[in-house]
């Protein structure tokens, strides 16, 4: 599903350049007008909300991301807050693009009850976007990664999702609590910091080496989740996505625990959000 002239890695590198924080987006220059349909993905994560926009060819055109605590483990816990954030992102992106955004897809971790999944769609609709579809996060990620066979591990803020891919199709999914939020909770407890202080410290590259021994048990817990869910499959490779996987050493710990090769996708935080936008494109093209 990524543009045919690019590899998944090249696509992610180019996409990262146009994904901005709200502050950066407010100061950004307007993008040269583009014709054709636009495809939007809204990802309501446990730690971050990401809105991404693809152009007619499926190239990343613009996007925003911001830290937010409006969802927890795939469940919307602050509906009004989520709507306000997405509506603000929509408005700033429309200014940058010079176009009105009319529709979007969104995603959910595997195993979330249908009623809660519908709440995600309600946020999208309340923010002024027609929700064209909902996709489980690992399947969205593979629209970017384009794995034929393998396992995608999506470590978000609150949960770890596992998706086994065979012949380019997701044949098994699972999702369990444990993610980046647990890193911050461990750091907070060990160092006597508030959760917000721990969250900021976790993201500081200069602090990460000394924090590694504290968060390694959480990484091993992720390894345990993976090992239990893939034991019935022939697995040659694990591909890690999700912002938590960017912590140095994560892939090595998972590989040591599972005895399987593990690699982190480029810019792992944005793989699933961009995949959700790609799902929007796929659904809209199918309707033509």
């Amino acid at each position: 599903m990524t543009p045919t002239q690019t590899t998944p890695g090249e696509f992610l590198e180019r996409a990262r350049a146009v994904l901005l924080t709200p502050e950066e987006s407010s100061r950004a220059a307007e993008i040269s007008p583009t014709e054709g349909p636009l495809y939007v993905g809204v990802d309501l994560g446990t730690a971050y909300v990401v809105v991404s926009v693809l152009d007619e060819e499926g190239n990343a055109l613009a996007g925003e991301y911001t830290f937010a605590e409006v969802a927890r483990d795939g469940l919307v816990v602050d509906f009004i807050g989520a709507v306000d954030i997405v509506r603000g992102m929509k408005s700033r992106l429309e200014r940058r693009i010079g176009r009105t955004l009319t529709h979007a897809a969104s995603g959910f971790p595997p195993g979330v009850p249908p009623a809660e999944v519908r709440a995600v769609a309600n946020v999208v609709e309340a923010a002024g976007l027609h929700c064209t579809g909902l996709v489980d996060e690992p399947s969205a990620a593979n629209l970017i990664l384009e794995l034929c066979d393998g396992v995608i591990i999506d470590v978000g803020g609150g949960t770890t999702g596992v998706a086994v891919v065979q012949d380019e199709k997701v044949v098994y999914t699972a999702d369990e609590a444990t993610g980046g939020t647990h890193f911050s909770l461990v750091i907070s407890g060990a160092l006597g910091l508030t959760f917000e202080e721990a969250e900021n410290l976790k993201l500081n590259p200069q602090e990460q080496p000394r924090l590694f021994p504290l968060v390694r048990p959480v990484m091993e817990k992720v390894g345990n989740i993976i090992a239990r869910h893939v034991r019935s499959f022939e697995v040659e490779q694990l591909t890690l996505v999700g912002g938590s996987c960017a912590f140095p050493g994560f892939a090595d710990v998972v590989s040591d625990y599972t005895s399987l090769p593990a690699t982190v996708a480029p810019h792992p935080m944005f793989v699933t959000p961009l995949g959700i936008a790609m799902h929007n494109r796929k659904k809209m093209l199918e309707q033509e």
Side-chain angles (χ1 to χ4, degrees):
M1 286 298 295
T2 56
T4 56
Q5 69 273 24
T6 65
T7 66
E10 291 170 338
F11 172 83
L12 289 165
E13 288 293 341
R14 295 176 184 178
R16 179 64 187 93
V18 301
L19 290 162
L20 309 178
T21 66
E23 293 75 21
E24 292 169 337
S25 185
S26 296
R27 301 191 301 267
E30 295 182 6
I31 298 170
S32 299
T34 179
E35 298 182 356
L38 300 177
Y39 306 103
V40 183
V42 177
D43 186 9
L44 301 177
T46 298
Y48 284 86
V49 174
V50 185
V51 176
S52 51
V53 184
L54 307 181
D55 66 15
E56 183 176 17
E57 300 301 321
N59 298 297
L61 181 65
E64 273 197 26
Y65 66 99
T66 188
F67 179 79
E69 296 178 290
V70 295
R72 185 172 299 120
D73 303 345
L75 310 180
V76 177
V77 296
D78 181 358
F79 184 85
I80 299 301
V83 171
D84 286 345
I85 289 172
V86 175
R87 186 182 290 129
M89 288 181 161
K90 176 178 181 290
S91 177
R92 285 185 295 273
L93 288 169
E94 288 174 338
R95 178 195 65 80
R96 285 172 60 191
I97 298 169
R99 297 270 301 277
T100 300
L101 302 178
T102 59
H103 58 271
S106 194
F108 58 93
V112 175
E116 297 297 339
V117 172
R118 184 60 210 170
V120 173
N122 290 341
V123 170
V124 174
E125 297 274 356
L129 294 159
H130 172 61
C131 187
T132 58
L134 297 164
V135 59
D136 69 89
E137 292 169 351
S139 294
N142 202 43
L143 290 175
I144 302 300
L145 300 175
E146 298 179 332
L147 298 184
C148 181
D149 296 284
V151 179
I152 299 170
I153 310 300
D154 190 344
V155 187
T159 65
T160 292
V162 179
V164 178
V165 181
Q166 295 178 346
D167 296 326
E168 300 182 359
K169 295 183 179 180
V170 175
V171 299
Y172 174 85
T173 61
D175 196 69
E176 292 191 26
T178 298
T181 297
H182 299 82
F183 282 26
S184 300
L185 290 172
V186 168
I187 295 168
S188 173
L191 302 182
L193 304 174
T194 66
F195 179 83
E196 291 75 14
E197 290 170 337
E199 183 74 20
N200 290 330
L201 196 68
K202 176 185 72 177
L203 300 176
N204 185 338
Q206 295 180 335
E207 296 289 345
Q208 288 170 340
R210 79 177 180 102
L211 298 177
F212 179 78
L214 299 179
V215 300
R216 181 178 181 122
V218 182
M219 297 178 183
E220 292 176 343
K221 175 68 180 301
V222 171
N224 178 268
I225 292 170
I226 297 166
R228 285 189 284 104
H229 286 288
V230 304
R231 62 165 59 112
S232 299
F233 299 92
E234 292 185 7
V235 178
E236 296 183 357
Q237 177 72 40
L238 305 174
T239 302
L240 308 184
V241 303
S244 302
C245 296
F247 199 102
F250 201 134
D252 292 336
V253 172
V254 167
S255 184
D256 289 344
Y257 194 97
T258 62
S259 299
L260 294 168
T263 59
V264 179
H267 307 296
M269 174 179 165
F270 299 113
V271 175
T272 296
L274 289 163
I276 293 171
M278 200 67 77
H279 177 74
N280 181 208
R281 180 171 183 259
K282 178 182 177 182
K283 296 293 288 187
M284 298 299 291
L285 290 175
E286 288 174 349
Q287 294 174 11
E288 292 182 355

